[in-house]
Amino acid sequence: MQELMKDQVCSVRRALVKSCMAVVRSMERDGQTASYFVKLIQDLATGKFDRRQLYAHICVQFLQDKMPAEEFEASYLVKLLALVDDKVANVRLLVAAAIKLLAVDFASMYDKSTHWEEIKAAYDKLCVDKDADVVFEAHGTLPERLQNYMKDK
């Protein structure tokens, strides 16, 4: 598994990301603890940008696969929120995609989540990011400065 995470071929990494949720669920069904696997994924949130990007991508996939919000919050949310200020735009782009998915899931458990304010703050920050693609992913529209630029052209 660790060797697959380091693979330079994007298609291999994508297959790994898509299989993560299945691995976690399979371990739970077999009565095994998924804590080692969770720890392995959490360790990606630090280090080189490609590891941080992979972590954010896995988080997006978990949310797309409808991981329960409480489970995501307990295992992955804190490290995902820490990536909001990442220096690499592609990492922030995936964080924005995850935050958008989170907003839907966490809105229903607003009173229960201890992280709702942090999620809102992360969303607000990503909506005014210096990278237009991040803003577009978070907000769904281009930043106003680019909209004005496009009108003038």
Side-chain angles (χ1 to χ4, degrees), residues 22 24-32:
V24 170
R25 294 297 174 239
S26 176
M27 292 175 85
E28 289 171 350
R29 272 194 309 275
D30 294 342
Q32 299 174 7

Side-chain angles (χ1 to χ4, degrees), residues 118-132:
E118 294 171 62
I119 293 168
K120 283 179 25 184
Y123 173 77
D124 291 342
K125 188 174 229 175
L126 292 166
C127 282
V128 294
D129 193 88
K130 62 187 173 194
D131 186 274

Side-chain angles (χ1 to χ4, degrees), residues 27-99:
M27 292 175 85
E28 289 171 350
R29 272 194 309 275
D30 294 342
Q32 299 174 7
T33 178
S35 61
Y36 171 77
F37 191 70
V38 168
K39 174 83 170 98
L40 186 66
I41 294 170
Q42 288 174 340
D43 286 346
L44 292 173
T46 58
K48 293 183 178 180
F49 89 92
D50 56 340
R51 291 172 53 111
R52 298 187 314 270
Q53 185 174 351
L54 182 58
Y55 180 81
H57 197 170
I58 289 170
C59 288
V60 168
Q61 188 65 47
F62 281 165
L63 292 165
Q64 287 174 339
D65 289 346
K66 305 295 184 209
M67 176 181 272
E70 295 87 355
E71 183 179 349
F72 187 85
E73 181 178 25
S75 298
Y76 305 104
L77 181 61
V78 172
K79 290 189 182 232
L80 178 71
L81 290 173
L83 296 176
V84 167
D85 294 316
D86 199 275
K87 62 185 176 187
V88 178
N90 284 349
V91 174
R92 294 190 316 274
L93 184 73
L94 286 164
V95 172
I99 294 294

Side-chain angles (χ1 to χ4, degrees), residues 1-17 19 44 54:
M1 179 69 105
Q2 288 180 336
E3 292 304 311
L4 283 175
M5 288 185 197
K6 295 177 188 174
D7 189 274
Q8 297 301 314
V9 181
C10 184
S11 61
V12 173
R13 287 193 308 273
R14 282 193 184 133
L16 171 70
V17 167
S19 67
L44 292 173
L54 182 58

